[in-house]
Coordinates of all heavy atoms in Angstrom, one line a residue:
M22 N 0.8 -1.2 0.0 CA 0.0 0.0 0.0 C 0.9 1.2 0.0 O 1.7 1.4 0.9 CB -0.9 0.0 1.3 CG -1.9 1.1 1.3 SD -3.3 0.8 0.3 CE -4.1 -0.6 1.2
K23 N 0.7 2.1 -1.0 CA 1.4 3.3 -1.1 C 0.5 4.5 -0.9 O -0.7 4.5 -1.3 CB 2.1 3.5 -2.5 CG 3.1 2.4 -2.7 CD 3.7 2.6 -4.1 CE 4.8 1.5 -4.4 NZ 5.3 1.6 -5.8
F24 N 1.0 5.6 -0.3 CA 0.3 6.8 -0.1 C 1.0 7.9 -0.8 O 2.3 7.9 -0.9 CB 0.2 7.1 1.4 CG -0.8 6.2 2.2 CD1 -0.4 4.9 2.5 CD2 -2.0 6.6 2.5 CE1 -1.2 4.1 3.2 CE2 -2.9 5.8 3.2 CZ -2.5 4.5 3.5
Y25 N 0.3 8.9 -1.3 CA 1.0 10.1 -1.8 C 0.1 11.3 -1.6 O -1.1 11.2 -1.5 CB 1.3 9.9 -3.3 CG 0.2 9.6 -4.2 CD1 -0.3 10.7 -5.0 CD2 -0.3 8.3 -4.4 CE1 -1.4 10.4 -5.8 CE2 -1.3 8.1 -5.3 CZ -1.9 9.2 -6.0 OH -2.9 8.9 -6.9
V26 N 0.7 12.4 -1.6 CA 0.1 13.7 -1.4 C 0.1 14.5 -2.8 O 1.1 14.6 -3.4 CB 0.8 14.6 -0.4 CG1 0.1 15.9 -0.2 CG2 0.7 13.9 1.0
E27 N -1.1 15.0 -3.1 CA -1.1 15.9 -4.3 C -0.8 17.3 -3.8 O -1.7 17.9 -3.1 CB -2.5 15.8 -4.9 CG -2.8 14.4 -5.5 CD -3.9 14.5 -6.6 OE1 -4.1 15.6 -7.1 OE2 -4.3 13.4 -6.9
P28 N 0.3 17.8 -4.2 CA 0.8 19.1 -3.6 C -0.2 20.2 -3.9 O -0.3 21.2 -3.1 CB 2.2 19.3 -4.3 CG 2.6 18.0 -4.7 CD 1.4 17.2 -5.0
D29 N -0.8 20.2 -5.1 CA -1.7 21.3 -5.5 C -2.9 21.4 -4.5 O -3.5 22.4 -4.4 CB -2.2 21.1 -6.9 CG -1.1 21.4 -7.9 OD1 0.0 21.9 -7.5 OD2 -1.3 21.0 -9.1
L30 N -3.2 20.3 -3.9 CA -4.4 20.2 -3.0 C -4.0 20.5 -1.6 O -4.9 20.9 -0.7 CB -5.1 18.9 -3.1 CG -5.8 18.6 -4.5 CD1 -6.4 17.2 -4.5 CD2 -6.8 19.6 -4.8
C31 N -2.8 20.2 -1.2 CA -2.4 20.4 0.2 C -2.3 21.8 0.6 O -1.8 22.7 -0.1 CB -1.0 19.7 0.4 SG -0.3 19.9 2.0
I32 N -3.0 22.1 1.8 CA -3.0 23.5 2.3 C -2.0 23.6 3.5 O -2.1 24.6 4.3 CB -4.4 23.9 2.7 CG1 -5.0 23.0 3.7 CG2 -5.3 24.0 1.4 CD1 -6.3 23.5 4.3
S33 N -1.2 22.6 3.7 CA -0.1 22.6 4.8 C -0.7 22.8 6.2 O -0.1 23.5 7.0 CB 0.9 23.8 4.5 OG 1.4 23.6 3.2
C34 N -1.8 22.1 6.4 CA -2.5 22.2 7.8 C -1.7 21.4 8.8 O -1.8 21.7 10.0 CB -3.9 21.8 7.7 SG -4.2 20.0 7.5
G35 N -1.0 20.4 8.4 CA -0.2 19.6 9.3 C -1.0 18.4 9.9 O -0.4 17.7 10.7
A36 N -2.3 18.2 9.6 CA -3.0 17.2 10.3 C -2.4 15.8 10.0 O -2.3 15.0 11.0 CB -4.5 17.2 9.8
C37 N -2.1 15.5 8.8 CA -1.6 14.2 8.5 C -0.3 13.9 9.2 O -0.1 12.8 9.7 CB -1.4 14.0 7.0 SG -0.3 15.2 6.3
I38 N 0.5 14.9 9.4 CA 1.8 14.7 10.1 C 1.6 14.5 11.6 O 2.3 13.8 12.2 CB 2.7 15.9 9.8 CG1 3.0 16.0 8.3 CG2 4.0 15.8 10.6 CD1 3.7 17.2 7.8
S39 N 0.6 15.2 12.1 CA 0.3 15.0 13.5 C -0.2 13.6 13.8 O 0.1 13.0 14.8 CB -0.8 16.0 14.0 OG -0.3 17.3 13.9
I40 N -1.0 13.1 12.9 CA -1.7 11.8 13.1 C -0.7 10.6 12.8 O -0.7 9.6 13.5 CB -2.9 11.7 12.2 CG1 -4.0 12.7 12.7 CG2 -3.5 10.2 12.2 CD1 -5.2 12.8 11.8
C41 N 0.1 10.8 11.8 CA 0.9 9.7 11.4 C 2.3 10.2 10.9 O 2.6 10.2 9.7 CB 0.3 8.9 10.2 SG 1.2 7.3 9.8
P42 N 3.1 10.6 11.9 CA 4.4 11.2 11.5 C 5.4 10.2 11.0 O 6.4 10.5 10.4 CB 4.9 11.8 12.8 CG 4.2 11.0 13.9 CD 2.8 10.7 13.3
E43 N 5.1 8.9 11.2 CA 5.9 7.8 10.6 C 5.9 7.8 9.1 O 6.8 7.3 8.4 CB 5.5 6.4 11.2 CG 5.7 6.3 12.7 CD 4.4 6.7 13.4 OE1 3.5 7.3 12.8 OE2 4.3 6.5 14.6
V44 N 4.8 8.3 8.5 CA 4.6 8.2 7.1 C 4.6 9.6 6.4 O 5.1 9.7 5.3 CB 3.2 7.5 6.7 CG1 2.9 7.6 5.3 CG2 3.3 6.0 7.2
F45 N 4.0 10.6 7.1 CA 3.9 11.9 6.5 C 4.9 12.9 7.1 O 5.1 12.8 8.4 CB 2.5 12.4 6.6 CG 1.5 11.6 5.9 CD1 0.8 10.6 6.6 CD2 1.3 11.7 4.5 CE1 -0.2 9.8 5.9 CE2 0.4 10.9 3.9 CZ -0.3 9.9 4.6
S46 N 5.5 13.7 6.3 CA 6.4 14.8 6.8 C 6.3 15.9 5.8 O 5.7 15.9 4.8 CB 7.8 14.2 6.8 OG 8.2 13.8 5.6
W47 N 7.0 17.0 6.2 CA 7.0 18.2 5.3 C 8.0 18.0 4.2 O 9.1 17.5 4.4 CB 7.4 19.4 6.1 CG 6.4 19.8 7.2 CD1 6.5 19.9 8.5 CD2 5.0 20.2 6.9 NE1 5.4 20.2 9.1 CE2 4.4 20.4 8.2 CE3 4.2 20.3 5.8 CZ2 3.1 20.8 8.3 CZ3 2.9 20.7 5.9 CH2 2.3 21.0 7.2
N48 N 7.6 18.5 3.0 CA 8.6 18.6 1.9 C 9.2 20.0 2.0 O 8.5 21.0 1.8 CB 7.8 18.4 0.6 CG 8.7 18.5 -0.6 OD1 9.8 19.0 -0.5 ND2 8.2 18.1 -1.7
D49 N 10.5 20.0 2.3 CA 11.1 21.3 2.5 C 11.2 22.1 1.2 O 11.4 23.3 1.3 CB 12.6 21.1 3.0 CG 12.5 20.5 4.5 OD1 11.5 20.8 5.2 OD2 13.5 19.9 4.9
D50 N 11.0 21.5 0.1 CA 11.1 22.2 -1.2 C 9.9 23.1 -1.4 O 10.0 24.2 -1.9 CB 11.2 21.2 -2.3 CG 12.5 20.5 -2.3 OD1 13.5 21.0 -1.7 OD2 12.6 19.4 -2.9
D51 N 8.7 22.6 -1.0 CA 7.5 23.4 -1.3 C 6.6 23.7 -0.1 O 5.6 24.3 -0.2 CB 6.7 22.7 -2.4 CG 6.1 21.4 -2.0 OD1 6.3 21.0 -0.9 OD2 5.6 20.7 -2.9
G52 N 7.0 23.2 1.1 CA 6.2 23.5 2.3 C 4.9 22.7 2.4 O 4.1 22.9 3.2
K53 N 4.8 21.7 1.5 CA 3.6 20.8 1.5 C 4.0 19.5 2.2 O 5.1 19.2 2.4 CB 3.1 20.6 0.1 CG 2.8 21.8 -0.7 CD 1.7 22.6 -0.1 CE 1.4 23.9 -0.9 NZ 0.7 23.6 -2.2
A54 N 2.9 18.7 2.6 CA 3.2 17.4 3.1 C 3.6 16.5 2.0 O 3.3 16.6 0.9 CB 1.9 16.9 3.8
K55 N 4.3 15.4 2.5 CA 4.7 14.3 1.6 C 4.6 13.0 2.3 O 4.7 13.0 3.6 CB 6.1 14.5 0.9 CG 7.2 14.5 2.0 CD 8.5 14.7 1.3 CE 9.7 14.9 2.2 NZ 10.1 13.8 2.9
A56 N 4.4 12.0 1.6 CA 4.5 10.6 2.2 C 5.8 10.0 1.9 O 6.5 10.4 1.0 CB 3.3 9.8 1.6
I57 N 6.1 8.9 2.7 CA 7.3 8.2 2.4 C 7.2 7.5 1.0 O 6.1 7.2 0.5 CB 7.6 7.1 3.5 CG1 6.4 6.1 3.6 CG2 7.9 7.8 4.8 CD1 6.8 4.9 4.5
D58 N 8.4 7.3 0.4 CA 8.4 6.6 -0.9 C 8.2 5.1 -0.6 O 8.6 4.6 0.4 CB 9.8 6.8 -1.5 CG 9.9 8.2 -2.1 OD1 8.9 8.9 -2.4 OD2 11.1 8.7 -2.1
G59 N 7.6 4.5 -1.6 CA 7.4 3.0 -1.5 C 6.3 2.6 -0.6 O 5.5 3.4 -0.1
N60 N 6.3 1.3 -0.3 CA 5.2 0.7 0.5 C 5.2 1.2 1.9 O 6.3 1.2 2.5 CB 5.2 -0.8 0.4 CG 4.6 -1.3 -0.9 OD1 3.6 -0.8 -1.3 ND2 5.3 -2.3 -1.5
V61 N 4.1 1.5 2.4 CA 3.9 1.8 3.9 C 3.9 0.4 4.6 O 3.1 -0.5 4.2 CB 2.6 2.6 4.1 CG1 2.3 2.7 5.6 CG2 2.8 4.0 3.5
P62 N 4.7 0.2 5.6 CA 4.6 -1.0 6.4 C 3.2 -1.3 6.9 O 2.4 -0.4 7.2 CB 5.6 -0.8 7.6 CG 6.5 0.3 7.1 CD 5.7 1.2 6.2
D63 N 2.9 -2.6 6.9 CA 1.5 -3.0 7.2 C 1.0 -2.4 8.6 O -0.2 -2.0 8.7 CB 1.4 -4.5 7.3 CG 1.5 -5.2 5.9 OD1 1.3 -4.5 4.9 OD2 1.7 -6.4 5.9
D64 N 1.9 -2.3 9.5 CA 1.5 -1.9 10.9 C 1.2 -0.4 10.9 O 0.8 0.1 11.9 CB 2.5 -2.3 11.9 CG 3.9 -1.7 11.7 OD1 4.1 -1.2 10.6 OD2 4.7 -1.7 12.7
L65 N 1.5 0.3 9.8 CA 1.3 1.8 9.8 C 0.1 2.1 8.8 O -0.3 3.3 8.7 CB 2.5 2.5 9.3 CG 3.7 2.5 10.3 CD1 4.9 3.2 9.7 CD2 3.3 3.2 11.6
V66 N -0.4 1.1 8.1 CA -1.5 1.4 7.1 C -2.7 2.0 7.8 O -3.3 3.0 7.3 CB -1.8 0.2 6.3 CG1 -3.1 0.4 5.5 CG2 -0.7 -0.2 5.4
D67 N -3.1 1.5 8.9 CA -4.3 2.0 9.6 C -4.1 3.5 10.0 O -5.0 4.3 9.8 CB -4.7 1.2 10.8 CG -5.3 -0.1 10.5 OD1 -5.6 -0.3 9.3 OD2 -5.5 -0.9 11.4
S68 N -3.0 3.8 10.5 CA -2.7 5.2 11.0 C -2.6 6.1 9.8 O -3.1 7.2 9.8 CB -1.3 5.2 11.8 OG -1.0 6.5 12.1
A69 N -2.0 5.6 8.7 CA -1.8 6.4 7.5 C -3.2 6.7 6.8 O -3.5 7.7 6.3 CB -0.9 5.8 6.5
T70 N -4.1 5.7 6.9 CA -5.4 5.8 6.4 C -6.2 6.8 7.2 O -7.0 7.6 6.6 CB -6.1 4.4 6.4 OG1 -5.4 3.5 5.5 CG2 -7.5 4.5 5.8
E71 N -6.1 6.8 8.5 CA -6.7 7.7 9.4 C -6.3 9.2 9.0 O -7.1 10.1 8.9 CB -6.4 7.5 10.8 CG -7.1 8.4 11.8 CD -6.7 8.2 13.2 OE1 -6.1 7.1 13.6 OE2 -7.0 9.0 14.1
A72 N -5.0 9.3 8.8 CA -4.4 10.6 8.3 C -5.1 11.0 7.0 O -5.5 12.2 6.9 CB -2.9 10.5 8.2
M73 N -5.1 10.1 6.1 CA -5.7 10.4 4.8 C -7.2 10.9 4.9 O -7.6 11.9 4.3 CB -5.7 9.2 3.9 CG -6.3 9.3 2.5 SD -6.3 7.8 1.6 CE -7.7 7.0 2.4
E74 N -7.9 10.2 5.8 CA -9.3 10.5 6.0 C -9.5 11.8 6.7 O -10.6 12.4 6.7 CB -10.0 9.4 6.7 CG -10.1 8.1 5.7 CD -10.7 6.9 6.5 OE1 -10.7 6.9 7.7 OE2 -10.9 5.9 5.8
S75 N -8.5 12.3 7.4 CA -8.6 13.5 8.2 C -8.1 14.7 7.4 O -8.3 15.8 7.8 CB -7.7 13.4 9.4 OG -8.1 12.4 10.3
C76 N -7.6 14.5 6.2 CA -7.1 15.6 5.4 C -8.3 16.4 4.9 O -9.3 15.9 4.3 CB -6.4 15.1 4.2 SG -5.9 16.4 3.1
P77 N -8.3 17.7 5.2 CA -9.5 18.6 4.9 C -9.7 18.8 3.4 O -10.8 19.2 3.0 CB -9.2 19.9 5.6 CG -7.7 19.9 5.8 CD -7.3 18.5 5.9
T78 N -8.7 18.6 2.6 CA -8.8 18.8 1.2 C -8.7 17.6 0.3 O -8.6 17.7 -0.9 CB -7.7 19.8 0.7 OG1 -6.4 19.2 0.9 CG2 -7.8 21.1 1.5
E79 N -8.7 16.4 1.0 CA -8.6 15.1 0.3 C -7.4 15.1 -0.6 O -7.5 14.6 -1.7 CB -9.9 14.8 -0.4 CG -11.1 14.7 0.5 CD -12.4 14.3 -0.2 OE1 -12.4 14.1 -1.4 OE2 -13.4 14.2 0.5
A80 N -6.3 15.6 -0.1 CA -5.1 15.7 -0.9 C -4.3 14.4 -0.9 O -3.4 14.2 -1.7 CB -4.2 16.8 -0.4
I81 N -4.7 13.5 0.1 CA -3.9 12.3 0.2 C -4.6 11.1 -0.5 O -5.8 11.0 -0.4 CB -3.7 11.9 1.7 CG1 -3.0 13.1 2.4 CG2 -3.0 10.6 1.9 CD1 -3.0 12.9 3.9
K82 N -3.9 10.4 -1.3 CA -4.4 9.3 -2.0 C -3.7 8.0 -1.6 O -2.5 8.1 -1.2 CB -4.3 9.5 -3.5 CG -4.7 10.9 -4.0 CD -6.2 11.1 -3.9 CE -6.5 12.5 -4.4 NZ -7.9 12.9 -4.1
K83 N -4.3 6.9 -1.8 CA -3.5 5.6 -1.6 C -3.8 4.7 -2.8 O -4.8 4.8 -3.5 CB -3.8 5.0 -0.3 CG -5.2 4.4 -0.1 CD -5.3 3.7 1.2 CE -6.7 3.2 1.5 NZ -6.8 2.6 2.8
E84 N -2.8 3.8 -3.0 CA -3.0 2.8 -4.1 C -2.3 1.5 -3.6 O -1.4 1.5 -2.8 CB -2.3 3.3 -5.4 CG -0.9 3.6 -5.2 CD -0.3 4.2 -6.5 OE1 -1.0 4.8 -7.3 OE2 0.9 4.0 -6.8
D85 N -2.9 0.4 -4.1 CA -2.3 -0.9 -3.7 C -0.9 -1.1 -4.3 O -0.6 -0.6 -5.4 CB -3.3 -2.0 -4.1 CG -4.5 -2.0 -3.3 OD1 -4.5 -1.5 -2.2 OD2 -5.6 -2.4 -3.8
Ligands
SF4_5 FE1 -1.7 18.8 3.5 FE2 -3.9 17.3 3.9 FE3 -1.7 16.8 5.2 FE4 -3.1 19.0 5.8 S1 -3.7 16.8 6.1 S2 -0.8 18.9 5.5 S3 -3.8 19.5 3.7 S4 -1.9 16.6 3.0

């Protein structure tokens, strides 16, 4: 399971990083959130999904 942030939709609220800092962090290049590259470990998928569902602009997507 991979997660990614669409930078154009991210408003830099920080919610995803607060909920799941193991997966989401700031992209220093543009000040938007980003997800880790590659597959999210199974034990973090629930937390990352909660972060995705908490995003106010639905900027976070996931794919198998
Ligand atoms: Fe950006 Fe959404 Fe994360 Fe807020 S919750 S920082 S809008 S990706």
Side-chain angles (χ1 to χ4, degrees):
M22 186 79 69
K23 295 180 180 176
F24 288 77
Y25 61 96
V26 175
E27 296 204 13
D29 289 348
L30 295 177
C31 177
I32 58 171
S33 304
C34 74
C37 57
I38 297 169
S39 295
I40 293 168
C41 188
E43 298 89 348
V44 172
F45 298 98
S46 60
W47 295 117
N48 181 344
D49 292 334
D50 291 337
D51 62 7
K53 306 295 180 74
K55 63 180 172 74
I57 59 171
D58 289 331
N60 279 318
V61 169
D63 288 346
D64 62 343
L65 292 175
V66 167
D67 283 353
S68 175
T70 299
E71 183 184 347
M73 179 185 75
E74 291 172 348
S75 298
C76 177
T78 62
E79 299 185 357
I81 302 171
K82 315 292 182 189
K83 69 177 176 181
E84 61 186 27
D85 291 331

